[in-house]
Amino acid sequence: MAAEIVNPRSDSNTGQEGGAEPLGDFDPAFALHRGGKMAVQSTVPIRDRDDLSLAYTPGVAKVCTAIAEQPELVHDYTWKSQVVAVVTDGTAVLGLGDIGPEASLPVMEGKAILFKQFGGVDAVPIALDTKDTDEIVETVARLAPSFGGINLEDISAPRCFEIERRLIERLDIPVFHDDQHGTAIVTLAALRNAARLTGRALGELRAVISGAGAAGVAIAKFLLEAGIGDVTVTDRKGIVSSDRGDLTDVKRELAEITNKAGLSGSLEDALNGAHVFIGVSGGTVPEAAVASMAKDPFIFAMANPNPEVHPEVAHKYAAVVATGRSDFPNQINNVLAFPGVFAGALQVRASAITEGMKIAAAEALAAVVGDELAADYVIPSPFDERVAPAVTAAVAAAARAEGVARR
C-alpha cells in the first residue's frame, strides 16, 4: 500500500449537510483540507479470483509463514522498510501550542505528504491521546513492528527529549524528532554556506540561540558537534549558564557544554559582539541589540509568522539573513532534511540515525548550492529536485560508514 498525496474526495462532501466551511467566506485552506490530504492506494491489482487469492488468502499465508520463520523477510515482503510513523501528542503544534491530538492531524497529514512528495517515503500520521511520557513510549514501541522508522513531531519540551532517548534505546529502527534534528541540520547547512560566502571558518564564530526548547537545544549541540567556536543559549530568563539555580536537567546539561565565554545576563548581553543570531523562540529582538553584534553577522530569525528580527532590520547589519518564511530568501525549512534523512536510513535499513548521518545530511544539503552561493542563496529551495537525492545518498553512505546499515 502507498500513501497517496492527492485527495480524491475533495469534492465528495460539497453540498452535504455540514459541508459549509467554518468561516463565513470561502477559504482555500479549508477547501484544500476537506476530506483530508491523503489516502491509501493499492500497489497491486485485484482484478479477479486469482489476484485475490494471491493478495489475500490463501497466498498471503505462505508469506506470513516465511516471515514467522525468518523475521527479516518482513522488509522484503511488506511495506515496513519504506514507511514511517509520524507520531505526535499534539502538545507543541506549529506556533499554536497544546491544541490536542485531533487538531494536530492536519499538520501530521501534511508531514506525511511531504515525506512522499520530497523523499518518496510513505508515512502514516498517528496522533496519541496521552501526554504521559511512559504511555507514549510504550505505545510507540508496541506500534513499531509495523514501521521502518519513527518521526516524532510536535511534542513539547522537555518531555520530547526523554521520549526520543528512550525510544532510541528500545527500538532497532530510526527514531528522529524532527523539531530537534531537522531544524538543526538545515541550520548548520545554511551556516556553513554563510561562513563560506564570507570567508570565515565555523571555529571562528560565536552564535547566540534565542530559545532553549527542542529546536534550540538540538541546534546548540549540533553546532558544537560540527565545530563552531562557541554557542550561547538564552531562554525567557536570560542566558542559560551554570550559575543559575532554576535550570531543568536538560538546560543544566546544556549549560555545561555551551557559553565558553562565561556570559551572564540577557539576550541583549549575549548578542554583544556575537557573529550569529539563531532565533527559534518568537518575540522581538531590539534593533539596538542587533546593532551591537560583530560586523557583518548572520541573522537566522526563524520564528513564524513573525521573525524575531524582521528582514528589513536585519539587512541593515547582516551579511546573511535567513528566516522560516517562504516569502523571503533563505528559508530554513525542515522539509529540506527529513525526507532525505529517512529515505537514506530506510534505503540501508539503518538501525538508528547517528550524529554522523545528520552531519552528512547537512554537508550534502549545503553542497547543493555549489557555485550559485550568494547572500540571498545560502540554502536551496525545498522544490530543488537535487536536494532529496543528495541528502539520501549522503545519509545512506554515512550509515554504512558508521556501521548501522543492515544492507
Side-chain angles (χ1 to χ4, degrees):
M1 309 293 276
E4 181 67 76
I5 62 170
V6 297
N7 181 4
R9 301 162 293 171
S10 58
D11 298 323
S12 62
N13 290 330
T14 303
Q16 292 184 4
E17 182 178 354
E21 307 301 353
L23 302 180
D25 298 326
F26 172 80
D27 187 305
F30 283 100
L32 182 143
H33 283 78
R34 179 167 293 283
K37 299 193 293 290
M38 57 187 294
V40 173
Q41 176 180 299
S42 173
T43 60
V44 298
I46 303 180
R47 299 159 297 195
D48 51 32
R49 185 187 301 269
D50 289 340
D51 287 344
L52 182 60
S53 69
L54 289 173
Y56 201 54
T57 185
V60 72
K62 297 179 182 179
V63 180
C64 293
T65 301
I67 293 172
E69 294 173 353
Q70 300 180 59
E72 283 301 305
L73 291 178
V74 69
H75 296 282
D76 298 313
Y77 295 104
T78 73
W79 78 339
K80 177 181 173 71
S81 65
Q82 57 194 30
V83 66
V84 170
V86 181
V87 180
T88 189
D89 64 356
T91 55
V93 182
L94 303 177
L96 304 174
D98 185 354
I99 60 175
E102 289 87 357
S104 76
L105 268 177
V107 179
M108 301 310 116
E109 286 185 4
K111 198 80 174 190
I113 65 174
L114 294 179
F115 265 111
K116 188 67 172 178
Q117 178 74 29
F118 294 103
V121 174
D122 291 314
V124 177
I126 297 175
L128 301 179
D129 188 16
T130 178
K131 301 177 186 178
D132 183 88
T133 295
D134 292 337
E135 290 181 354
I136 292 172
V137 170
E138 190 63 27
T139 301
V140 175
R142 291 181 181 276
L143 288 169
S146 296
F147 300 99
I150 305 294
N151 183 93
L152 299 174
E153 188 76 19
D154 292 351
I155 299 173
S156 62
R159 295 175 310 117
C160 60
F161 302 113
E162 182 180 355
I163 289 168
E164 184 190 44
R165 177 184 59 78
R166 287 170 59 180
L167 285 171
I168 288 173
E169 292 173 352
R170 185 163 174 177
L171 302 179
D172 66 346
I173 58 175
V175 177
F176 184 86
H177 184 207
D178 186 50
D179 299 316
Q180 293 184 59
H181 311 300
T183 308
I185 288 168
V186 183
T187 301
L188 175 59
L191 185 59
R192 280 191 180 281
N193 275 341
R196 180 163 71 94
L197 178 69
T198 56
R200 305 178 199 178
L202 280 181
E204 301 172 1
L205 303 178
R206 179 171 71 85
V208 175
I209 299 174
S210 174
V217 170
I219 292 170
K221 291 181 177 180
F222 199 52
L223 293 184
L224 289 170
E225 181 77 18
I228 197 167
D230 193 10
V231 178
T232 304
V233 182
T234 67
D235 61 12
R236 290 184 180 89
K237 296 183 179 180
I239 294 171
V240 176
S241 58
S242 55
D243 60 352
R244 281 176 48 181
D246 61 345
L247 300 181
T248 64
D249 290 342
V250 170
K251 292 180 182 179
R252 192 174 300 111
E253 177 189 351
L254 191 64
E256 292 175 357
I257 61 174
T258 60
N259 194 27
K260 297 176 185 176
L263 303 176
S264 60
S266 65
L267 170 64
E268 289 82 352
D269 294 321
L271 281 174
N272 188 18
H275 306 95
V276 184
F277 169 75
I278 297 171
V280 284
S281 64
T284 301
V285 178
E287 183 172 347
V290 178
S292 75
M293 295 179 69
K295 181 177 173 56
D296 295 327
F298 310 144
I299 296 178
F300 295 177
M302 297 187 284
N304 263 313
N306 299 312
E308 294 89 346
V309 182
H310 193 279
E312 289 183 2
V313 174
H315 279 297
K316 294 180 182 179
Y317 307 96
V320 176
V321 177
T323 72
R325 287 174 44 159
S326 59
D327 54 345
F328 291 112
N330 295 328
Q331 183 190 19
I332 307 293
N333 191 329
N334 288 15
V335 76
L336 290 164
F338 69 82
V341 168
F342 269 100
L346 294 176
Q347 185 180 97
V348 297
R349 293 183 192 167
S351 58
I353 294 174
T354 65
E355 289 300 304
M357 292 162 71
K358 289 181 276 187
I359 292 285
E363 291 176 345
L365 181 56
V368 169
V369 171
D371 294 337
E372 301 170 73
L373 182 64
D376 61 355
Y377 186 58
V378 297
I379 199 76
S381 162
F383 295 99
D384 189 324
E385 295 182 354
R386 299 171 296 173
V387 168
V391 174
T392 298
V395 168
R400 291 191 178 99
E402 301 217 328
V404 296
R406 290 178 287 194
R407 73 170 180 188

XYZ file of all heavy atoms in Angstrom, residues 105-181:
604
model
N -3.920 16.706 13.646
C -3.937 15.808 12.492
C -3.677 16.510 11.155
O -2.975 15.947 10.303
C -5.252 15.036 12.429
C -5.255 13.677 13.143
C -6.631 13.041 13.066
C -4.212 12.737 12.547
N -4.222 17.710 10.901
C -3.888 18.353 9.625
C -2.389 18.550 9.427
O -1.876 18.426 8.304
C -4.628 19.693 9.712
C -5.778 19.431 10.616
C -5.242 18.484 11.653
N -1.681 18.846 10.511
C -0.234 19.014 10.410
C 0.448 17.669 10.157
O 1.362 17.557 9.343
C 0.334 19.668 11.682
C 1.852 19.809 11.588
C -0.293 21.032 11.898
N -0.005 16.626 10.861
C 0.612 15.310 10.677
C 0.345 14.774 9.270
O 1.219 14.151 8.656
C 0.094 14.317 11.723
C 0.357 14.727 13.167
S 2.065 15.212 13.501
C 1.845 16.947 13.932
N -0.864 15.011 8.749
C -1.140 14.647 7.357
C -0.207 15.409 6.428
O 0.331 14.847 5.465
C -2.590 14.972 6.997
C -3.623 14.035 7.576
C -5.019 14.378 7.070
O -5.147 15.283 6.217
O -5.985 13.735 7.524
N -0.027 16.696 6.702
C 0.869 17.500 5.888
C 2.281 16.949 5.898
O 2.953 16.873 4.860
N 2.733 16.562 7.082
C 4.069 15.978 7.196
C 4.174 14.707 6.353
O 5.175 14.476 5.659
C 4.345 15.650 8.663
C 5.809 15.438 8.987
C 6.496 16.770 9.146
C 7.926 16.598 9.622
N 8.523 17.875 9.996
N 3.119 13.897 6.398
C 3.128 12.634 5.665
C 3.210 12.860 4.157
O 3.963 12.160 3.458
C 1.882 11.818 6.012
N 2.474 13.833 3.645
C 2.535 14.038 2.199
C 3.847 14.698 1.783
O 4.309 14.508 0.659
C 1.316 14.829 1.675
C 1.269 16.254 2.198
C 0.027 14.089 2.002
C 0.148 17.089 1.579
N 4.484 15.429 2.695
C 5.819 15.963 2.389
C 6.846 14.833 2.313
O 7.755 14.856 1.471
C 6.240 16.992 3.438
C 5.419 18.282 3.482
C 5.932 19.199 4.588
C 5.439 19.004 2.147
N 6.724 13.856 3.201
C 7.586 12.670 3.109
C 7.479 12.054 1.722
O 8.481 11.696 1.096
C 7.171 11.628 4.155
C 7.952 11.677 5.434
C 7.356 12.086 6.609
C 9.271 11.274 5.477
C 8.060 12.121 7.806
C 9.996 11.294 6.663
C 9.387 11.717 7.830
N 6.242 11.907 1.247
C 6.021 11.247 -0.041
C 6.473 12.117 -1.200
O 7.152 11.649 -2.116
C 4.535 10.918 -0.184
C 4.210 10.058 -1.412
C 4.791 8.667 -1.284
C 4.311 7.761 -2.413
N 4.903 6.419 -2.320
N 6.102 13.385 -1.152
C 6.403 14.297 -2.259
C 7.902 14.514 -2.433
O 8.419 14.493 -3.549
C 5.722 15.650 -2.020
C 6.003 16.699 -3.080
C 5.277 16.438 -4.378
O 4.206 15.846 -4.381
N 5.856 16.856 -5.484
N 8.605 14.727 -1.321
C 10.009 15.133 -1.420
C 11.002 13.996 -1.191
O 12.179 14.141 -1.553
C 10.286 16.272 -0.443
C 9.563 17.540 -0.781
C 8.436 17.932 -0.084
C 9.995 18.340 -1.824
C 7.760 19.107 -0.401
C 9.324 19.514 -2.158
C 8.198 19.893 -1.446
N 10.567 12.885 -0.584
C 11.501 11.803 -0.328
C 11.076 10.452 -0.858
O 11.829 9.483 -0.756
N 9.856 10.375 -1.421
C 9.364 9.093 -1.903
C 9.102 8.100 -0.796
O 9.051 6.887 -1.026
N 8.921 8.600 0.434
C 8.730 7.748 1.613
C 7.262 7.792 2.032
O 6.680 8.864 2.178
C 9.616 8.235 2.781
C 9.312 7.457 4.059
C 11.091 8.106 2.417
N 6.656 6.622 2.206
C 5.290 6.568 2.716
C 5.294 6.857 4.209
O 6.224 6.458 4.929
C 4.683 5.186 2.469
C 4.429 4.934 0.988
O 3.886 5.829 0.332
O 4.789 3.845 0.500
N 4.269 7.543 4.684
C 4.189 7.895 6.100
C 2.745 7.858 6.564
O 1.825 8.151 5.801
C 4.790 9.285 6.337
N 2.562 7.510 7.831
C 1.231 7.383 8.424
C 1.147 8.317 9.627
O 1.953 8.204 10.556
C 0.963 5.931 8.876
C -0.394 5.832 9.568
C 1.033 4.982 7.689
N 0.188 9.256 9.642
C 0.032 10.134 10.806
C -0.626 9.416 11.966
O -1.642 8.747 11.790
C -0.867 11.264 10.270
C -1.606 10.673 9.129
C -0.740 9.597 8.556
N -0.036 9.550 13.151
C -0.571 8.919 14.362
C -0.592 9.961 15.475
O 0.460 10.416 15.934
C 0.274 7.704 14.792
C 0.236 6.625 13.698
C -0.220 7.140 16.117
C 1.133 5.446 13.975
N -1.796 10.349 15.901
C -1.957 11.322 16.983
C -2.422 10.590 18.231
O -3.481 9.939 18.227
C -2.973 12.385 16.579
N -1.647 10.669 19.287
C -1.906 9.902 20.510
C -2.662 10.738 21.540
O -2.325 11.897 21.782
C -0.584 9.435 21.121
C 0.292 8.552 20.222
C 1.578 8.182 20.946
C -0.455 7.301 19.784
N -3.655 10.118 22.159
C -4.470 10.803 23.165
C -3.880 10.584 24.555
O -4.516 10.012 25.438
C -5.909 10.291 23.091
C -6.851 11.104 23.981
O -6.450 12.213 24.401
O -7.969 10.632 24.251
N -2.655 11.016 24.712
C -1.994 10.972 26.017
C -0.813 11.927 26.003
O -0.186 12.116 24.958
C -1.500 9.560 26.366
O -0.821 9.597 27.638
C -0.533 9.021 25.327
N -0.530 12.512 27.160
C 0.655 13.344 27.323
C 1.670 12.681 28.246
O 2.721 13.258 28.519
C 0.268 14.709 27.901
C -0.717 15.497 27.051
C -1.087 16.804 27.737
C -2.172 17.538 26.982
N -2.576 18.796 27.663
N 1.342 11.500 28.716
C 2.193 10.789 29.654
C 3.396 10.185 28.932
O 3.231 9.427 27.971
C 1.386 9.697 30.360
C 2.200 8.964 31.394
O 2.241 9.423 32.550
O 2.821 7.935 31.045
N 4.579 10.514 29.394
C 5.798 10.051 28.736
C 5.863 8.537 28.652
O 6.172 7.968 27.594
C 7.033 10.595 29.475
O 7.046 12.026 29.360
C 8.322 10.024 28.897
N 5.580 7.855 29.760
C 5.636 6.393 29.759
C 4.640 5.803 28.764
O 4.954 4.846 28.046
C 5.342 5.841 31.158
C 6.432 6.169 32.162
O 7.581 6.413 31.732
O 6.144 6.192 33.376
N 3.432 6.360 28.725
C 2.408 5.839 27.826
C 2.788 6.065 26.362
O 2.566 5.189 25.514
C 1.058 6.480 28.122
C 0.445 6.043 29.443
C -0.909 6.674 29.692
O -1.326 7.537 28.892
O -1.558 6.298 30.682
N 3.369 7.214 26.062
C 3.793 7.485 24.687
C 4.884 6.511 24.265
O 4.829 5.914 23.180
C 4.266 8.939 24.537
C 3.089 9.900 24.708
C 4.926 9.160 23.172
C 3.480 11.360 24.769
N 5.891 6.340 25.104
C 6.985 5.417 24.787
C 6.457 4.005 24.587
O 6.802 3.328 23.604
C 8.060 5.444 25.897
C 9.074 4.323 25.699
C 8.759 6.793 25.926
N 5.594 3.561 25.482
C 5.066 2.197 25.386
C 4.208 2.029 24.140
O 4.296 1.011 23.439
C 4.248 1.871 26.633
C 3.857 0.404 26.755
C 5.046 -0.524 26.897
O 6.099 -0.084 27.406
O 4.931 -1.701 26.490
N 3.382 3.012 23.841
C 2.508 2.923 22.672
C 3.318 2.873 21.378
O 3.070 2.024 20.505
C 1.530 4.113 22.629
O 0.745 4.115 23.819
C 0.604 4.017 21.419
N 4.276 3.760 21.247
C 5.085 3.793 20.028
C 5.895 2.510 19.897
O 6.013 1.943 18.794
C 6.006 5.022 20.014
C 6.942 4.988 18.806
C 5.173 6.299 19.981
N 6.440 2.025 20.995
C 7.216 0.786 20.950
C 6.352 -0.387 20.499
O 6.808 -1.262 19.749
C 7.819 0.497 22.320
N 5.101 -0.423 20.915
C 4.203 -1.511 20.515
C 3.747 -1.380 19.070
O 3.413 -2.373 18.420
C 3.001 -1.575 21.458
C 3.369 -2.044 22.866
C 2.159 -2.123 23.773
N 2.526 -2.541 25.116
C 2.691 -3.800 25.504
N 2.528 -4.789 24.623
N 3.018 -4.091 26.749
N 3.737 -0.148 18.550
C 3.380 0.065 17.149
C 4.559 -0.180 16.208
O 4.366 -0.405 15.003
C 2.895 1.503 16.945
C 1.536 1.887 17.510
C 1.350 3.402 17.440
C 0.413 1.189 16.748
N 5.762 -0.160 16.724
C 6.972 -0.153 15.908
C 7.099 -1.309 14.914
O 7.667 -1.118 13.834
C 8.205 -0.103 16.810
N 6.607 -2.532 15.211
C 6.760 -3.606 14.223
C 6.152 -3.306 12.861
O 6.529 -3.927 11.871
C 6.048 -4.792 14.897
C 6.201 -4.531 16.356
C 6.063 -3.048 16.493
N 5.236 -2.345 12.794
C 4.583 -2.018 11.523
C 5.365 -1.012 10.689
O 4.987 -0.750 9.541
C 3.183 -1.442 11.781
O 2.343 -2.398 12.375
N 6.443 -0.454 11.245
C 7.105 0.674 10.582
C 8.608 0.473 10.468
O 9.235 -0.214 11.271
C 6.817 1.960 11.359
C 5.354 2.288 11.445
C 4.622 1.983 12.584
C 4.702 2.875 10.372
C 3.270 2.267 12.657
C 3.354 3.162 10.428
C 2.631 2.860 11.573
N 9.189 1.177 9.468
C 10.629 1.161 9.297
C 11.321 2.287 10.018
O 12.544 2.292 10.168
N 10.556 3.278 10.472
C 11.128 4.405 11.201
C 10.045 5.166 11.934
O 8.852 5.050 11.617
N 10.453 5.941 12.941
C 9.534 6.745 13.754
C 9.960 8.203 13.679
O 11.087 8.554 14.062
C 9.535 6.293 15.234
C 9.231 4.795 15.359
C 8.545 7.141 16.037
C 7.847 4.384 14.928
N 9.066 9.061 13.180
C 9.303 10.504 13.173
C 8.444 11.124 14.276
O 7.214 11.173 14.164
C 8.920 11.109 11.827
C 9.213 12.590 11.747
O 10.274 13.000 11.303
N 8.275 13.419 12.164
N 9.080 11.566 15.343
C 8.373 12.248 16.422
C 8.161 13.697 16.025
O 9.060 14.351 15.501
C 9.175 12.153 17.719
C 9.440 10.740 18.237
C 10.366 10.781 19.438
C 8.136 10.021 18.588
N 6.971 14.211 16.306
C 6.604 15.521 15.780
C 5.775 16.293 16.792
O 4.828 15.753 17.386
C 5.799 15.335 14.491
C 5.521 16.603 13.738
C 6.753 17.102 12.988
O 7.683 16.312 12.768
O 6.768 18.300 12.646
N 6.120 17.561 16.984
C 5.292 18.492 17.751
C 4.937 17.960 19.142
O 3.787 18.024 19.577
C 4.017 18.831 16.970
C 4.318 19.654 15.725
O 5.471 20.092 15.570
O 3.413 19.853 14.907
N 5.959 17.445 19.835
C 5.836 17.014 21.234
C 6.609 18.021 22.072
O 7.768 18.323 21.792
C 6.395 15.600 21.436
C 5.606 14.602 20.583
C 6.348 15.194 22.903
C 6.189 13.199 20.589
N 5.994 18.535 23.098
C 6.585 19.657 23.836
C 7.825 19.246 24.625
O 7.974 18.097 25.039
C 5.552 20.262 24.789
O 5.141 19.318 25.758
N 8.711 20.218 24.803
C 9.895 20.047 25.648
C 9.480 20.303 27.101
O 8.552 21.063 27.362
C 10.978 21.028 25.221
N 10.159 19.656 28.063
C 11.327 18.792 27.892
C 10.984 17.317 27.682
O 11.884 16.498 27.526
C 12.075 18.980 29.214
C 10.985 19.196 30.220
C 9.923 19.986 29.503
N 9.676 16.959 27.653
C 9.317 15.538 27.522
C 9.846 14.933 26.228
O 10.187 13.752 26.172
C 7.789 15.372 27.568
C 7.157 15.756 28.901
C 5.636 15.676 28.820
N 5.164 16.401 27.653
C 4.517 15.845 26.631
N 4.257 14.561 26.642
N 4.121 16.574 25.615
N 9.922 15.752 25.166
C 10.350 15.216 23.880
C 11.748 14.615 23.936
O 12.037 13.636 23.231
C 10.291 16.307 22.816
S 11.345 17.746 23.139
N 12.622 15.171 24.782
C 13.986 14.658 24.876
C 14.002 13.247 25.465
O 14.662 12.351 24.941
C 14.850 15.581 25.734
C 14.917 16.994 25.239
C 14.360 18.034 25.965
C 15.535 17.291 24.034
C 14.411 19.340 25.514
C 15.601 18.601 23.569
C 15.025 19.627 24.315
N 13.259 13.054 26.554
C 13.224 11.734 27.181
C 12.517 10.718 26.299
O 12.950 9.565 26.196
C 12.534 11.809 28.542
C 12.506 10.456 29.260
C 11.827 10.510 30.617
O 11.457 11.608 31.055
O 11.670 9.428 31.226
N 11.431 11.129 25.660
C 10.691 10.214 24.786
C 11.589 9.720 23.665
O 11.669 8.516 23.385
C 9.432 10.907 24.227
C 8.400 11.095 25.349
C 8.824 10.102 23.080
C 7.251 12.008 24.978
N 12.285 10.639 23.015
C 13.177 10.221 21.928
C 14.297 9.326 22.460
O 14.597 8.278 21.862
C 13.775 11.436 21.230
C 14.628 11.036 20.035
C 15.436 12.183 19.446
O 16.027 12.958 20.232
O 15.487 12.290 18.216
N 14.929 9.719 23.553
C 16.039 8.933 24.088
C 15.611 7.511 24.415
O 16.300 6.541 24.050
C 16.596 9.605 25.343
C 17.713 8.822 26.033
C 18.151 9.488 27.322
N 17.062 9.638 28.281
C 16.602 8.643 29.039
N 17.120 7.419 28.937
N 15.624 8.872 29.901
N 14.475 7.360 25.077
C 14.023 6.033 25.482
C 13.629 5.175 24.286
O 13.875 3.961 24.268
C 12.865 6.158 26.472
C 13.332 6.644 27.850
C 12.180 6.990 28.759
N 11.285 5.864 28.990
C 10.197 5.921 29.746
N 9.869 7.074 30.345
N 9.432 4.868 29.903
N 13.037 5.789 23.276
C 12.663 5.021 22.089
C 13.897 4.596 21.297
O 13.953 3.491 20.756
C 11.709 5.832 21.212
C 10.282 5.934 21.743
C 9.475 6.927 20.923
C 9.591 4.569 21.727
N 14.899 5.468 21.221
C 16.142 5.099 20.544
C 16.787 3.908 21.251
O 17.276 2.964 20.603
C 17.111 6.297 20.510
C 16.607 7.348 19.518
C 18.524 5.854 20.131
C 17.392 8.641 19.534
N 16.779 3.925 22.581
C 17.363 2.827 23.347
C 16.591 1.524 23.159
O 17.168 0.434 23.165
C 17.397 3.187 24.831
C 18.372 4.315 25.178
C 18.256 4.760 26.622
O 17.317 4.305 27.317
O 19.079 5.589 27.054
N 15.288 1.643 22.965
C 14.431 0.461 22.957
C 14.253 -0.155 21.570
O 14.090 -1.378 21.449
C 13.067 0.837 23.528
C 12.111 -0.321 23.683
C 10.981 0.058 24.607
N 9.964 -0.975 24.677
C 8.895 -0.926 25.466
N 8.727 0.119 26.271
N 8.008 -1.900 25.462
N 14.286 0.661 20.523
C 13.961 0.177 19.187
C 15.209 0.025 18.326
O 16.215 0.689 18.547
C 12.985 1.143 18.506
C 11.658 1.388 19.238
C 10.796 2.381 18.458
C 10.898 0.083 19.454
N 15.097 -0.850 17.315
C 16.213 -1.049 16.384
C 15.890 -0.478 15.015
O 16.387 -0.943 13.989
C 16.571 -2.529 16.278
C 15.467 -3.356 15.630
O 14.325 -2.841 15.509
O 15.736 -4.507 15.239
N 15.054 0.563 15.003
C 14.752 1.303 13.784
C 15.018 2.784 14.048
O 15.074 3.205 15.201
C 13.298 1.097 13.323
C 12.308 1.530 14.412
C 13.063 -0.354 12.915
C 10.850 1.470 13.989
N 15.184 3.586 12.999
C 15.465 5.007 13.205
C 14.341 5.721 13.951
O 13.164 5.573 13.614
C 15.599 5.544 11.781
C 15.993 4.372 10.963
C 15.289 3.209 11.571
N 14.720 6.498 14.962
C 13.803 7.367 15.701
C 14.377 8.777 15.606
O 15.537 9.007 15.941
C 13.669 6.935 17.170
C 12.755 7.901 17.928
C 13.135 5.506 17.263
N 13.548 9.717 15.167
C 14.059 11.042 14.803
C 13.009 12.076 15.182
O 11.886 12.044 14.673
C 14.307 11.055 13.290
C 14.932 12.294 12.714
C 16.311 12.444 12.684
C 14.151 13.278 12.127
C 16.902 13.563 12.097
C 14.724 14.397 11.538
C 16.107 14.543 11.526
N 13.359 12.976 16.102
C 12.456 14.064 16.469
C 12.781 15.238 15.570
O 13.774 15.941 15.771
C 12.628 14.433 17.942
C 11.654 15.475 18.405
N 11.930 16.337 19.439
C 10.404 15.798 17.970
C 10.898 17.139 19.634
N 9.965 16.840 18.741
N 11.934 15.476 14.572
C 12.262 16.435 13.525
C 12.370 17.857 14.039
O 13.166 18.650 13.532
C 11.214 16.356 12.410
C 11.590 17.228 11.228
O 12.743 17.124 10.763
O 10.747 18.020 10.778
N 11.552 18.213 15.043
C 11.631 19.569 15.584
C 13.030 19.856 16.123
O 13.479 21.006 16.120
C 10.606 19.756 16.701
C 9.187 19.561 16.202
O 8.872 20.076 15.125
O 8.403 18.886 16.877
N 13.705 18.815 16.586
C 15.085 18.993 17.034
C 16.049 18.900 15.854
O 16.701 19.872 15.472
C 15.462 17.894 18.039
C 14.741 17.924 19.363
C 15.284 16.846 20.291
O 16.469 16.818 20.615
N 14.418 15.944 20.714
N 16.142 17.722 15.280
C 17.262 17.416 14.401
C 17.075 17.924 12.978
O 18.053 18.300 12.328
C 17.508 15.908 14.413
C 17.577 15.336 15.788
N 18.518 15.753 16.710
C 16.792 14.434 16.428
C 18.327 15.101 17.857
N 17.280 14.307 17.702
